[in-house]
Amino acid sequence: MPPLTGFRDFYPEECAGRNAIFSVWRSVATRYGFVEYDGPPLESLELYQKKSGAEIASQLYNFTDKGERHVALRPELTPTLARMVAERHRDFKKPLKWFAIPQVFRYERPQKGRLREHYQLNCDILGEPSLEADAENIALAIDVLRAFGLTSDDFVIRLSDRQFWVDLLIARNVPQEKWYDFFQAIDKSEREPEEKTREKLGPLADEVLGILANGAESARLDAVERSLTVRGFGACYKRDFTIVRGLAYYTGIVWEAFDRTGQFRAICGGGRYDDLLKNLGGVDMPALGFGMGDVVLGELLKARGKAPATAQTLDYFVAIADETVRENAMELVQKLRDAGKRTDFAIAIGTKLGKQLETASARGARHAIVADAKLKSGEAELKDLQTREQRTVPVASLLGVVA
Ligand code: HAM
């Protein structure tokens, strides 16, 4: 029976691929001084209904639990992070640089790059209002992509300034309750016919479409771009006011990363959300961050031949050639494992030696240890499965043999 639509089974090969991605994510985030945290996968429904915006609220996996509580599987981690930090903000030195790799759930129409669950690297900086924090966060996203072997030829960060649009809305007297629809219209403008966008934008259509086509001045973007360029990432970004982000809480610099060919959906996206902690927990603390899903990233890496290697290997496979030494062989297996060697053996009694050696190769073992009568006198046959060379060695030396 297959899993539910939009959900994935992770057989060992897929699981290894997923873990290889997680391990790059973790290593680059920690290289940037981020520390790992996590929150609960189930939260109160209210947490998302109020702050994430109508689009994500319509995609929630929600239900009423046995205690009549209205709950939802997390569709994203940012509201949880804001809740957690607001709760204990006095305990932490600012700025906080925190990362997490949650599995998140959205009832979306499954399609290329979009499933109903995905894993998402989240990296957020809290308690720092300066634009250097925005640049630091974007630089981290760039370095994560570089760590997978992607370059500025493969991806581009599309940088934008949501505050620029807010200033324009205020200057044009657009009432605040209409802002969300305005941002949704811009967010969808690339995928919808111009006529539809014009209709949604109404009297602002000419001005807004002009800015989308020709760009505009933003001192905030100037500062972020300068910092990225100094770090050597000048070729990795472009200014693009179409990016406003689908989520409701962003307040400043916003951005998304795309592959250069435009074949895939957004690889990652984020921005500043200076009001979220105040709105959720009554704590005035600036914040920003990004989320990078494993689905689009995985598709892109596969398409570019850059999926991380996932071969499962063993240091030793103990092949039991003579059942009378099985107990000695098991003692050796245990000693090798105690010494930190990845070791396996043929569990089934009486398996032919040739079959055991085939299994050893298939399992990616570097060496087979052939256990025969010599094992009783402290010796074993060591077979290099790549060169097929074989020699008799003292058992004691095996624990020190570097595989
Ligand atoms: P988001 O843009 O909704 O932002 O999601 C971030 C990334 O998650 C996307 O760029 C994409 O890679 C991946 N993603 C989103 N939905 C799906 C899906 N249905 N299937 C597969 N992958 C998906 C956020 O979630 C923000 N909370 C990020 C953030 C952190 N902002 C500040 N801090």
Side-chain angles (χ1 to χ4, degrees):
M1 198 161 65
L4 286 172
T5 309
F7 285 76
R8 292 170 290 177
D9 289 327
F10 290 91
Y11 286 91
E13 198 183 329
E14 288 91 36
C15 212
R18 184 183 80 183
N19 289 343
I21 287 180
F22 288 2
S23 122
V24 172
W25 281 352
R26 272 203 179 89
S27 102
V28 184
T30 49
R31 203 182 335 137
Y32 268 67
F34 282 64
V35 293
E36 190 163 358
Y37 72 102
D38 200 0
L42 199 66
E43 287 272 20
S44 78
L45 178 62
E46 203 193 345
L47 187 66
Y48 309 110
Q49 278 177 330
K50 279 199 199 149
K51 304 298 167 216
S52 296
E55 184 162 9
I56 223 164
S58 72
Q59 298 170 340
L60 286 171
Y61 268 96
N62 60 299
F63 57 96
T64 307
D65 76 5
K66 289 175 183 169
E68 298 300 318
R69 294 172 205 91
H70 298 292
V71 294
L73 285 172
R74 56 187 175 193
E76 57 157 342
L77 194 61
T78 313
T80 298
L81 172 65
R83 181 181 65 64
M84 285 169 64
V85 173
E87 185 72 19
R88 284 190 42 197
H89 65 105
R90 284 192 194 86
D91 297 347
F92 308 112
K93 268 213 170 331
K94 318 299 173 303
L96 280 66
K97 296 170 89 178
W98 284 13
F99 82 96
I101 307 180
Q103 189 175 24
V104 296
F105 305 86
R106 297 182 188 182
Y107 198 86
E108 289 199 57
R109 191 167 61 80
Q111 52 190 298
K112 190 163 170 278
R114 287 289 176 269
L115 299 174
R116 288 184 171 164
E117 55 74 24
H118 68 280
Y119 290 88
Q120 198 188 75
L121 169 67
N122 275 250
C123 298
D124 292 79
I125 303 178
L126 298 101
E128 179 50 61
S130 85
L131 290 157
E132 195 57 42
D134 299 71
E136 170 78 350
N137 201 236
I138 297 167
L140 166 54
I142 291 173
D143 260 335
V144 168
L145 297 176
R146 290 176 70 223
F148 286 105
L150 299 170
T151 69
S152 57
D153 291 339
D154 300 304
F155 69 86
V156 61
I157 306 283
R158 292 164 66 184
L159 270 183
S160 179
D161 180 359
R162 183 134 140 178
Q163 190 60 42
F164 167 89
W165 288 118
V166 168
D167 293 345
L168 184 113
L169 290 169
I170 292 170
R172 303 289 174 268
N173 294 316
V174 177
Q176 208 165 339
E177 60 274 13
K178 293 204 170 149
W179 291 6
Y180 185 72
D181 290 339
F182 174 83
F183 287 129
Q184 288 287 311
I186 295 184
D187 187 43
K188 304 240 174 316
S189 65
E190 275 185 308
R191 283 165 269 150
E192 283 178 350
E194 187 179 318
E195 270 324 296
K196 190 152 188 197
T197 309
R198 279 189 173 277
E199 200 181 297
K200 288 184 181 170
L201 293 171
L204 291 181
D206 280 339
E207 184 177 13
V208 170
L209 290 174
I211 293 165
L212 294 182
N214 307 315
E217 292 295 316
S218 159
R220 282 178 291 271
L221 284 176
D222 289 344
V224 172
E225 289 170 2
R226 235 184 344 266
S227 175
L228 291 175
T229 303
V230 165
R231 295 165 190 244
F233 298 149
C236 296
Y237 66 81
K238 71 170 187 206
R239 197 176 283 207
D240 183 343
F241 283 89
T242 327
I243 301 297
V244 287
R245 308 281 295 133
L247 294 156
Y249 46 67
Y250 292 108
T251 53
I253 298 292
V254 286
W255 56 275
E256 288 184 355
F258 285 86
D259 82 293
R260 289 270 183 194
T261 65
Q263 252 177 292
F264 300 91
R265 312 233 357 192
I267 308 168
C268 59
R272 190 172 269 281
Y273 51 96
D274 281 349
D275 298 333
L276 189 62
L277 274 85
K278 200 169 26 202
N279 293 338
L280 279 179
V283 173
D284 197 357
M285 193 190 295
L288 55 87
F290 74 84
M292 179 185 296
D294 65 328
V295 180
V296 175
L297 177 68
E299 288 173 354
L300 175 64
L301 293 175
K302 263 203 192 101
R304 302 283 173 272
K306 299 213 152 103
T310 55
Q312 301 268 345
T313 54
L314 289 171
D315 296 319
Y316 294 113
F317 190 96
V318 177
I320 302 168
D322 176 350
E323 282 299 336
T324 66
V325 298
R326 178 167 282 268
E327 288 187 356
N328 310 70
M330 289 318 300
E331 260 177 53
L332 176 60
V333 164
Q334 190 57 41
K335 278 190 188 141
L336 289 165
R337 288 174 175 170
D338 284 349
K341 309 289 179 198
R342 290 161 300 173
T343 307
D344 209 350
F345 67 100
I347 294 182
I349 292 169
T351 311
K352 287 211 167 67
L353 180 61
K355 264 251 160 333
Q356 293 187 56
L357 293 176
E358 266 170 37
T359 306
S361 293
R363 298 283 308 280
R366 178 72 213 280
H367 290 101
I369 295 170
V370 181
D372 57 18
K374 286 198 289 295
L375 202 53
K376 287 198 167 139
S377 50
E379 282 186 332
E381 289 296 304
L382 183 67
K383 190 175 178 74
D384 185 318
L385 290 168
Q386 272 159 25
T387 63
R388 315 307 290 180
E389 269 169 41
Q390 188 166 324
R391 63 201 160 94
T392 308
V393 296
V395 165
S397 77
L398 279 175
L399 301 172
V401 171
V402 181

